Amino acid sequence: MFDENAEDLTPISRLGEFGLIEHLTREFENHNPDVVKGIGDDAAVYAVSEKEVHLVTTDLLIEGVHFDLRYVPLKHLGYKSVVVNLSDIYAMNGKPFAITMSVALSSKFTVEAMDAFYEGVQIACDHYDVDLIGGDTSSSRVGMVISVTAIGKAAKADVVYRSGAKEHDLICISGDVGGAYAGLQVLEREKAVFLKNPGVQPDLVGRDYVVGRQLKPEARGDVVRLLRENGIKPTAMIDLSDGLASDLLHICKQSKKGATIYEDKIMIDHEVILVGEDLGIPALTMALNGGEDYELLFTVSLEHYDKIKTMKGVTIIGHIVEEIAGVNLITANGSMLPLQAQGWNHFKD
Ligand code: ADP
Ligand code: MG
């Protein structure tokens, strides 16, 4: 029995976000044989017929934790809250078709403000061809809380899990990384300047790309389609929400493999490098540990090397090795750096 006065209670920070999820769900077993995959991947998978599955994923966005309305326009927030969920469906190699949207609002929000938010939601639904099919609405005492659930579909045989990487597979990534984190740093810096001196306009000149990566991310359904058109089914896949290092570690842990990636192969936009110079943060640190890029990180069998090598917007950054070799980055000067999960983790000390 829970005794809140006991002396040896465990702070959640001791387990961290992933440890807490594992701890809380460790004794749950699935009662329904239709559940193909429950907890532990980007989306849950359940069978709807012998060959078809549906995919379900949900995310919570909390004002003051995930977004700051002092610089995030509500229309962008509506768009992003849809996109981050669709990204998890694509990460399973599926196609999203519906979302539910739940919001809790404090009294500071007006109808017009919520119109702007829903305008963003609608633009995302139109852009990604998904339907808003429900949700819930509540008041809140602590600002805005958003919960989105996305539902997708796939042929059962097409679903890609985090756990399928094989030794010698190529590690690939779409687009570039570190941008969303760099954009957040720019916005935070301008906010600090504004709070000190409200007359000053934000200076975002030359930082449009990274600010856009933070405020208006896209989910890489185009990459999923491109791979399919080329007859490539990744062996493992995850979307980059927590950071390249942390998300690669998820693939490796669940696949029981190691990985070697190369610093000089990782695509980093020049604006990320400039922001890094401004703020004294190495661009590599932002690329490895910055979250929210929503690119796809996936592994493919070596037989696809020629196709992948020439695929637009996809870069090979390394390869899968045996588990005992660990997960390492080879730096530009040739030294080996073990990767650690320093990405986004709620409840971290
Ligand atoms: P992602 O970053 O791809 O959204 P998460 O790290 O949030 O994935 O979640 C990992 C897995 O844990 C998912 O299968 C998710 O559904 C599950 N999960 C997260 N929080 C809880 C919770 N409180 N109870 C049960 N399952 C959870
Ligand atoms: Mg994910």
Side-chain angles (χ1 to χ4, degrees):
M1 255 239 302
F2 172 52
D3 170 11
E4 64 180 332
N5 296 317
E7 271 176 20
D8 55 350
L9 295 176
T10 315
I12 286 175
S13 58
R14 196 174 296 161
L15 298 186
E17 180 188 347
F18 304 121
L20 178 67
I21 297 171
E22 258 174 47
H23 173 80
L24 295 176
T25 59
R26 70 196 181 283
E27 282 178 9
F28 281 75
E29 282 171 16
N30 296 330
H31 301 287
N32 296 287
D34 290 342
V35 177
V36 180
K37 174 78 193 177
I39 294 161
D41 218 300
D42 291 293
V45 183
Y46 65 88
V48 290
S49 71
E50 206 175 305
K51 293 193 170 155
E52 293 292 315
V53 297
H54 278 183
L55 308 158
V56 186
T57 177
T58 192
D59 264 313
L60 205 50
L61 293 144
I62 312 287
E63 182 176 353
V65 177
H66 297 95
F67 58 90
D68 186 332
L69 290 172
R70 283 172 291 191
Y71 55 73
V72 177
L74 279 160
K75 185 170 152 183
H76 285 73
L77 184 61
Y79 189 89
K80 181 171 175 176
S81 55
V82 176
V83 163
V84 302
N85 277 274
L86 304 185
S87 179
D88 278 322
I89 300 290
Y90 291 126
M92 304 300 290
N93 206 29
K95 185 192 175 320
F97 64 88
I99 59 159
T100 64
M101 166 67 67
S102 302
V103 287
L105 302 165
S106 62
S107 56
K108 74 177 176 187
F109 290 89
T110 60
V111 173
E112 288 75 13
M114 289 314 291
D115 278 340
F117 179 81
Y118 266 72
E119 200 187 326
V121 171
Q122 191 169 18
I123 294 171
C125 286
D126 290 344
H127 184 71
Y128 288 94
D129 205 15
V130 301
D131 300 321
L132 173 64
I133 59 165
D136 197 14
T137 308
S138 164
S139 61
S140 153
R141 298 207 187 149
V142 289
M144 187 176 193
V145 177
I146 306 163
S147 169
V148 180
T149 297
I151 310 167
K153 58 186 169 185
K156 195 174 184 177
D158 287 344
V159 177
V160 175
Y161 298 92
R162 293 175 177 177
S163 58
K166 304 275 178 300
E167 210 180 325
H168 308 304
D169 280 356
L170 302 167
I171 301 170
C172 311
I173 191 165
S174 65
D176 53 67
V177 286
Y181 182 83
L184 180 64
Q185 300 311 309
V186 171
L187 290 164
E188 284 285 339
R189 184 190 60 189
E190 292 307 313
K191 180 182 84 180
V193 172
F194 180 80
L195 289 177
K196 254 197 225 148
N197 187 348
V200 178
Q201 284 298 306
D203 179 14
L204 305 175
V205 178
R207 301 291 181 263
D208 319 43
Y209 179 71
V210 292
V211 168
R213 293 287 283 172
Q214 170 58 222
L215 294 181
K216 193 174 176 292
E218 300 292 352
R220 300 310 303 267
D222 56 329
V223 175
V224 168
R225 274 191 297 279
L226 190 63
L227 289 168
R228 186 163 308 155
E229 281 160 16
N230 280 277
I232 299 171
K233 181 190 169 192
T235 50
M237 185 148 65
I238 189 169
D239 67 323
L240 292 183
S241 52
D242 297 337
L244 174 56
S246 168
D247 289 322
L248 178 60
L249 284 162
H250 281 311
I251 285 187
C252 289
K253 186 177 176 205
Q254 297 206 18
S255 299
K256 301 192 172 62
K257 293 286 178 290
T260 304
I261 61 170
Y262 297 86
E263 175 180 5
D264 55 8
K265 305 281 186 214
I266 299 172
M267 296 290 281
I268 302 175
D269 189 84
H270 75 282
E271 278 188 25
V272 175
I273 295 165
L274 295 177
V275 171
E277 284 169 0
D278 281 358
L279 302 178
I281 310 172
L284 179 65
T285 303
M286 294 195 272
L288 290 175
N289 301 321
E292 296 197 293
D293 286 313
Y294 298 104
E295 295 297 339
L296 291 174
L297 174 69
F298 55 95
T299 56
V300 301
S301 157
L302 202 51
E303 69 182 285
H304 298 305
Y305 177 75
D306 289 328
K307 278 188 193 165
I308 284 281
K309 196 178 57 170
T310 55
M311 197 170 280
K312 205 165 163 271
V314 171
T315 321
I316 301 170
I317 61 166
H319 54 272
I320 296 291
V321 297
E322 55 181 345
E323 188 171 25
I324 188 113
V327 183
N328 296 291
L329 174 89
I330 308 296
T331 64
N333 61 30
S335 49
M336 195 164 102
L337 195 80
L339 286 188
Q340 274 151 5
Q342 279 159 350
W344 184 238
N345 178 354
H346 294 267
F347 313 117
K348 227 169 27 179
D349 272 331

